[in-house]
Amino acid sequence: MNLSREFDVIVWGASGFTGRLVALYLFNKYGATGDLKWAMGGRNLTKLEKVRDEVADKNIPLVIADSDDKVSLLNMVNRTKVICTTVGPYAKYGSNLVEACIESHIHYCDLAGEVQWIHKMINSHHKTAKINGSKIVHTCGFDSIPSDMGVYFIQREAKNKIGIIAQEIKMRVAAISGGISGGTYASLSRVLEEAQKDKTIYKVLTNPYGLNPTNDQIGEDKSDLKSVVFDSASKSWIGPFIMASINTKVVRRSNSISGHFYGKSFRYDEATIFGKGLFGRIKGILSTISIGLVMNAKHGSLLKKFLDSFFPIPGDGPTRKKMEKGYYNLRFYITLKDGSNAFAKVTGDMDPGYGSSSKMLAESAVCLAKDKLPNTSGILTPSVAMGNSLLKRLKKNAGLKFSFEN
Ligand SMILES: NC(=O)c1ccc[n+]([C@@H]2O[C@H](COP(=O)([O-])OP(=O)(O)OC[C@H]3O[C@@H](n4cnc5c(N)ncnc54)[C@H](OP(=O)(O)O)[C@@H]3O)[C@@H](O)[C@H]2O)c1
């Protein structure tokens, strides 16, 4: 992208729980007057000024735009090379912005994990974004960078080190610690509400290849795990992983739109490890029941209202201490094309949803603005949009570690 614009990056939604973390990270890492020219964006100037004074300083410019005001969005996007947005639920606030970014021929990244909305963006805008040279990159947080970039890393290492790529990868969540924000809970509730009302959305959510191009939605992968079973790969009891629904589809989309870089018969799945023996099995069953309750509670029902009372409201989220003490450890059990096995790990140094996601999103935005990127455009995945450049940034700056052994 060879645009001359006032800013490299605008963080839109900087007054929200996660946007504020992204702005704080950019300020601490890149400063206010250095090589990266960036601004904080939002809909409310007074609130934005207050947050800017808390996380940065007066050298950071402020930009005002509202999701319902298309003119304000176009004025904002025309000033920058990249929009980095944390204004969610994205299905509620995000569509006009994606359209504006494509119209302005700029790049875009977000933290959306809302499958039904990403599906809508692909159907409505992939072709125009491709023609206009815009990289629209959803899922630049915990869903789905560790999975998508993890698989990309494994395939690259396998090819470079042993000359054979992976035929099947089983990602297992070995350890995870963190919390949830009101914005994320609102986004999850919105996905479930839309799926309960509209059968076509339910179909997209339950199709393992639901984010692939329409002419490439078949393959050997089945639906995500819904019960507790014994896993021969990790030799433990495993159960559902709540993010698998978006992550596995993103990995499959990466394979499809990269021209099947991982092979047409590549298989991928995700689950959570609960441990060995009876204790592991019971832990898995209890966790699966809780996930089932949240996922199946009908919108507007008493059960849903009861469950809502346990979650934060938009604007709130985990404490700084909880984020700093957080972590995640993902294991990848690999079967290579020749039938031999390999193993990989991806770990993160803060809580997945906020401490780590804000760094991943910020580095994605800087990567889109500053780095040499693959010649791809459209509604992309992180690995297809940014490849090795993002991998380097995640390792160097965002606290992620990737390892591979065979
Ligand atoms: N995938 C991941 O790993 C991950 C991790 C974290 C968050 N997320 C997602 O990120 C999103 C934000 O979460 P959050 O907890 O930060 O939410 P939040 O605290 O509620 O923040 C939402 C932001 O959107 C702004 N906003 C609301 N309506 C707007 C409008 N009409 N026009 C412009 N701005 C508007 C709010 O502005 P005001 O301050 O003026 O109200 C606020 O800045 C959610 O969709 C969540 O699911 C994903």
Side-chain angles (χ1 to χ4, degrees):
M1 191 176 39
N2 229 345
L3 293 174
S4 161
R5 299 272 169 115
E6 189 181 346
F7 304 118
D8 295 311
V9 174
I10 295 176
V11 181
W12 192 53
S15 57
F17 186 81
T18 320
R20 160 196 291 256
L21 295 174
V22 175
L24 177 66
Y25 173 81
L26 286 181
F27 184 71
N28 288 339
K29 181 84 195 157
Y30 298 97
T33 53
D35 184 42
L36 184 78
K37 295 184 177 36
W38 67 283
M40 289 167 63
R43 60 175 168 172
N44 179 328
L45 183 60
T46 314
K47 197 168 176 186
L48 211 49
E49 281 173 339
K50 189 167 172 281
V51 174
R52 177 187 57 185
D53 294 345
E54 282 165 17
V55 303
D57 69 27
K58 292 205 170 4
N59 289 309
I60 300 295
L62 302 178
V63 179
I64 301 303
D66 192 288
S67 68
D68 295 326
D69 178 353
K70 286 192 182 178
V71 176
S72 73
L73 291 176
L74 267 175
N75 287 340
M76 173 172 75
V77 301
N78 284 334
R79 296 173 70 182
T80 187
K81 291 179 182 169
V82 175
I83 287 284
C84 168
T85 170
T86 57
V87 175
Y90 293 92
K92 191 169 177 190
Y93 303 123
S95 303
N96 287 337
L97 179 66
V98 169
E99 206 174 331
C101 288
I102 297 168
E103 203 176 313
S104 185
H105 298 245
I106 66 160
H107 300 329
Y108 161 108
C109 55
D110 70 22
L111 288 176
E114 298 157 46
V115 174
Q116 88 293 5
W117 179 70
I118 298 172
H119 179 259
K120 189 171 154 192
M121 293 301 100
I122 292 169
N123 282 352
S124 312
H125 301 302
H126 179 68
K127 281 189 190 137
T128 326
K130 202 172 161 78
I131 293 165
N132 288 7
S134 283
K135 289 178 189 279
I136 305 296
V137 198
H138 304 298
T139 62
C140 291
F142 183 59
D143 37 326
S144 300
I145 280 190
S147 303
D148 185 43
M149 294 305 294
V151 171
Y152 171 82
F153 162 80
I154 290 165
Q155 295 290 28
R156 202 196 62 164
E157 290 293 287
K159 196 171 178 198
N160 292 346
K161 284 191 175 158
I162 43 184
I164 312 167
I165 59 167
Q167 167 65 39
E168 180 169 13
I169 301 178
K170 293 173 176 296
M171 189 281 258
R172 302 290 179 251
V173 180
I176 193 161
S177 169
I180 186 168
S181 74
T184 298
Y185 184 63
S187 300
L188 175 67
S189 298
R190 174 129 188 156
V191 176
L192 300 174
E193 183 190 343
E194 287 190 34
Q196 283 162 8
K197 280 186 191 154
D198 184 341
K199 284 269 172 298
T200 58
I201 288 177
Y202 181 78
K203 269 192 183 165
V204 173
L205 296 186
T206 51
N207 176 356
Y209 297 89
L211 293 182
N212 277 21
T214 39
N215 62 357
D216 187 28
Q217 293 199 342
I218 39 166
E220 292 180 32
D221 280 328
K222 305 278 179 291
S223 311
D224 303 313
L225 184 64
K226 287 190 189 60
S227 56
V228 177
V229 296
F230 192 79
D231 178 39
S232 56
S234 60
K235 299 186 178 51
S236 306
W237 290 97
I238 57 166
F241 173 46
I242 198 158
M243 303 298 184
S245 153
I246 175 71
N247 291 342
T248 56
K249 292 180 182 67
V250 168
V251 168
R252 291 175 198 128
R253 178 166 178 81
S254 289
N255 190 27
S256 178
I257 62 176
S258 65
H260 297 103
F261 176 58
Y262 311 153
K264 279 208 164 179
S265 56
F266 173 68
R267 297 193 63 180
Y268 183 71
D269 70 83
E270 296 191 347
T272 304
I273 294 179
F274 287 106
K276 299 181 193 297
L278 186 62
F279 179 69
R281 191 175 188 183
I282 292 172
K283 203 170 146 198
I285 292 170
L286 293 177
S287 163
T288 305
I289 292 171
S290 330
I291 293 177
L293 273 180
V294 174
M295 303 299 275
N296 293 307
K298 287 258 173 297
H299 181 70
S301 67
L302 270 179
L303 175 63
K304 176 79 173 88
K305 283 181 190 147
F306 173 71
L307 292 172
D308 287 352
S309 66
F310 289 94
F311 289 93
I313 55 167
D316 282 346
T319 60
R320 188 80 213 161
K321 198 168 164 200
K322 189 153 192 177
M323 288 190 270
E324 275 164 8
K325 281 185 141 184
Y327 54 84
Y328 52 93
N329 177 347
L330 312 179
R331 295 181 190 161
F332 296 77
Y333 297 90
I334 305 160
T335 308
L336 296 164
K337 286 254 183 219
D338 65 356
S340 62
N341 293 321
F343 177 73
K345 252 194 207 177
V346 176
T347 59
D349 68 349
M350 288 183 85
D351 78 298
Y354 304 94
S356 183
S357 283
S358 56
K359 292 195 278 185
M360 289 189 262
L361 179 64
E363 286 297 336
S364 299
V366 180
C367 181
L368 286 171
K370 293 283 191 191
D371 292 353
K372 190 168 168 18
L373 298 170
N375 184 18
T376 51
S377 54
I379 311 287
L380 304 176
T381 57
S383 64
V384 174
M386 295 172 270
N388 288 339
S389 300
L390 180 60
L391 196 55
K392 277 188 208 149
R393 284 185 175 275
L394 295 172
K395 290 196 241 182
K396 190 167 168 231
N397 302 332
L400 273 79
K401 286 189 183 143
F402 295 77
S403 65
F404 174 85
E405 9 173 305
N406 67 304

